[in-house]
């Protein structure tokens, strides 16, 4: 798949997920949406698809995955052909450079922050194990808590915040780190850099960033219990009121759409197992339809000689019957092609004659031999022979007559 095909496939999946999200947002576990966005990002970044019989692209009469797209005249398109890939690559490289610079600067801010070595931090880290080294730091350059880093994650608190008095803040950032949300944001950034010309990719990045926060809120409430909804909602509002200076690709506790997050927290109920299973099945069905490619057409099976002859004659039966259909011992169909007679044993399942033969044309009423048509040539594909009439008889006059063949007499 080329880039435009990947972008077209990803666009269809993004649109499907966005519609699915709008229709069932309140009922869906938000983690389901996050996994769907992960799948959309991978479709945009990985030039490999999984073939499936249920793929929507196999049901469309016209393929939505063109090799190239151009609305210009042929001359203009030919002149602009080398320009578009260069422009696309240049903008992608510039975007990647800007985002990489911002990411490195943000991570440097994390590493340069003051390490929190107070007893409460050590106790909290001991009670929240992680397979990666996790640290808690403070910085005067931020006003709301954030987390970042992939291999060596950091929870960064404002200098005036006491982490011991804000357990939900730490738990929220811990869930972000545990779920590798920083890596997801890097995937989204890579998709935006590569498909910057596609507005649906920008929409995916915005919606996925919000759903990551919604999913994190749900996970916190699952751990803390429904009784913590009021305290957690107040923590959200407090964090939003002081949010500023969040590093790029960091997971901010007081991120965007805070009011909708507070509403979601107020409505939160622990989902049932059946509810989760139904959401997972719906998500898988969505991916099976929109994230797959149609099954490839089966490789053609080599035709036998008889099947090749039948295929050659397919669609020409009327022409054959109208021009020169000769019955030969009830076993062969002879098709006249100028000075060529083709025996077609596949029609009746007979065996083609081998070697030099002569055709005998019989009188249908008297059953006498009337004409002998001499032939030359060997039986090959199509059992083709070149004929000459020994007495000037035109073989085309034998339409509908009974004809047999026999070896050419020797001596």
């Amino acid at each position: 798949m080329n880039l435009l095909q990947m972008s077209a496939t990803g666009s269809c999946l993004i649109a499907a997920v966005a519609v699915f999200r709008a229709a069932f947002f309140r009922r869906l576990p938000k983690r389901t949406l996050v996994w769907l966005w992960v799948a959309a990002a991978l479709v945009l970044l990985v030039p490999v698809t999984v073939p499936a019989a249920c793929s929507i692209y196999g049901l469309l009469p016209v393929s939505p995955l063109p090799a190239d797209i151009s609305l210009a005249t042929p001359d203009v398109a030919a002149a602009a052909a080398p320009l578009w890939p260069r422009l696309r690559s240049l903008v992608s490289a510039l975007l990647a450079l800007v985002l990489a610079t911002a990411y490195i600067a943000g991570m440097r801010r994390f590493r340069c922050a003051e390490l929190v070595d107070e007893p409460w931090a050590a106790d909290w880290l001991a009670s929240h194990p992680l397979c990666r080294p996790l640290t808690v730091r403070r910085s005067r350059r931020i006003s709301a808590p954030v987390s970042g880093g992939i291999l060596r994650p950091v929870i960064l608190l404002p200098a005036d915040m006491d982490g011991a008095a804000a357990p939900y803040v730490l738990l929220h950032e811990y869930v972000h780190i545990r779920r590798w949300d920083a890596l997801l944001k890097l995937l989204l950034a890579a998709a935006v850099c590569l498909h910057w010309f596609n507005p649906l990719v920008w929409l995916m990045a915005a919606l996925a960033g919000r759903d990551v926060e919604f999913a994190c809120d749900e996970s916190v409430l699952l751990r803390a219990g429904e009784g913590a909804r009021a305290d957690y909602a107040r923590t959200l509002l407090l964090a939003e009121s002081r949010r500023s200076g969040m590093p790029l690709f960091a997971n901010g506790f007081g991120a965007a759409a805070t009011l909708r997050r507070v509403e979601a927290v107020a409505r939160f109920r622990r989902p049932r197992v059946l509810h989760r299973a139904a959401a997972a099945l719906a998500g898988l069905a969505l991916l099976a339809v929109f994230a797959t490619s149609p099954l490839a057409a089966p490789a053609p099976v080599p035709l036998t000689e008889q099947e090749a002859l039948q295929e050659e004659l397919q669609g020409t039966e009327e022409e054959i019957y109208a021009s020169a259909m000769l019955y030969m011992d009830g076993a062969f169909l002879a098709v006249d092609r100028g000075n060529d007679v083709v025996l077609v044993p596949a029609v009746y399942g007979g065996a083609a004659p081998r070697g030099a033969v002569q055709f005998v044309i019989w009188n249908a009423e008297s059953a006498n031999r009337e004409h002998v048509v001499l032939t030359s040539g060997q039986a090959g594909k199509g059992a083709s022979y070149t004929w000459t009439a020994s007495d000037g008889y035109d073989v085309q006059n034998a339409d509908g007559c009974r004809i047999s063949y026999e070896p050419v007499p020797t001596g």
Side-chain angles (χ1 to χ4, degrees), residues 16-34:
V17 174
V19 172
F20 182 65
R21 178 185 187 273
F24 303 103
F25 183 79
R26 291 192 175 185
R27 299 181 180 181
L28 280 174
K30 303 307 180 287
R31 195 61 182 169
T32 301
L33 292 175
V34 173

Side-chain angles (χ1 to χ4, degrees), residues 219-306:
S219 182
V220 170
L221 293 176
L222 285 174
R223 291 169 177 265
E226 295 183 14
R229 288 181 299 177
D231 291 340
Y232 185 66
R234 281 193 291 269
T235 306
L236 278 177
L237 293 173
L238 178 62
E240 175 62 19
S241 66
R242 57 188 295 170
R243 182 172 66 92
S244 67
M246 186 174 68
L248 192 63
F249 302 124
N251 297 301
F253 184 83
T258 301
L259 291 180
R260 291 197 64 185
R261 290 173 62 191
V262 171
E263 293 175 0
V265 168
R267 294 192 308 265
F268 175 78
R269 296 291 185 277
R270 184 178 294 271
R272 299 178 180 178
V273 175
L274 186 60
H275 191 187
R276 291 185 178 184
L281 289 176
L284 289 175
L286 197 69
L287 295 179
V289 173
F290 290 96
T292 57
S293 59
L295 291 174
V301 179
L303 301 177
T304 63
E305 183 176 348
Q306 291 188 0

Side-chain angles (χ1 to χ4, degrees), residues 3-285:
L3 188 64
L4 290 180
Q5 290 174 329
M6 293 164 61
S7 192
T9 304
S11 296
C12 293
L13 179 57
I14 292 169
V17 174
V19 172
F20 182 65
R21 178 185 187 273
F24 303 103
F25 183 79
R26 291 192 175 185
R27 299 181 180 181
L28 280 174
K30 303 307 180 287
R31 195 61 182 169
T32 301
L33 292 175
V34 173
W35 282 114
L36 290 175
W37 294 128
V38 170
L42 293 177
V43 167
L44 291 166
L45 295 173
V46 181
V48 177
T49 58
V50 178
C54 57
S55 174
I56 191 174
Y57 310 114
L59 304 178
L60 299 178
V62 179
S63 173
L65 309 178
D68 199 0
I69 299 176
S70 177
L71 299 179
T73 61
D75 293 340
V76 174
L83 179 61
W84 166 243
R86 294 177 183 176
L87 176 62
R88 186 176 61 201
S89 300
L90 177 61
V91 175
S92 295
L94 289 176
L95 274 175
L97 179 62
V98 171
L99 294 179
T101 302
Y103 178 76
I104 294 173
M107 291 302 99
R108 183 175 299 173
R109 185 186 305 180
F110 276 97
R111 304 303 172 199
C112 294
E114 177 188 358
L115 181 66
V116 177
D117 56 359
E118 301 171 14
W120 68 263
D123 294 341
W124 185 89
L125 290 173
S127 62
H128 294 78
L130 198 68
C131 60
R132 295 162 285 164
L134 174 62
T135 56
V136 179
R137 296 176 179 269
R138 282 198 182 100
S139 174
R140 298 182 181 277
R141 302 177 64 182
I142 63 170
S143 57
V146 295
S147 62
I150 298 175
L151 299 179
R152 292 184 296 169
V154 174
I155 296 177
L156 192 60
L157 303 176
D160 58 348
M161 176 176 284
D162 183 6
Y168 296 124
V169 170
L170 295 172
L171 182 57
H172 181 96
E173 302 305 335
Y174 174 76
V175 170
H176 273 310
I177 294 171
R178 186 179 179 86
R179 290 185 169 182
W180 298 85
D181 288 340
L183 181 60
L184 171 58
K185 291 194 173 184
L186 287 179
L187 284 177
L188 295 173
V192 167
C193 290
L194 196 60
H195 300 271
W196 57 267
F197 52 87
N198 188 339
L200 286 176
V201 177
W202 293 89
L203 175 66
M204 175 195 69
L207 294 180
R210 295 182 180 184
D211 291 340
V212 163
E213 296 299 330
F214 283 116
C216 189
D217 294 338
E218 283 189 352
S219 182
V220 170
L221 293 176
L222 285 174
R223 291 169 177 265
E226 295 183 14
R229 288 181 299 177
D231 291 340
Y232 185 66
R234 281 193 291 269
T235 306
L236 278 177
L237 293 173
L238 178 62
E240 175 62 19
S241 66
R242 57 188 295 170
R243 182 172 66 92
S244 67
M246 186 174 68
L248 192 63
F249 302 124
N251 297 301
F253 184 83
T258 301
L259 291 180
R260 291 197 64 185
R261 290 173 62 191
V262 171
E263 293 175 0
V265 168
R267 294 192 308 265
F268 175 78
R269 296 291 185 277
R270 184 178 294 271
R272 299 178 180 178
V273 175
L274 186 60
H275 191 187
R276 291 185 178 184
L281 289 176
L284 289 175

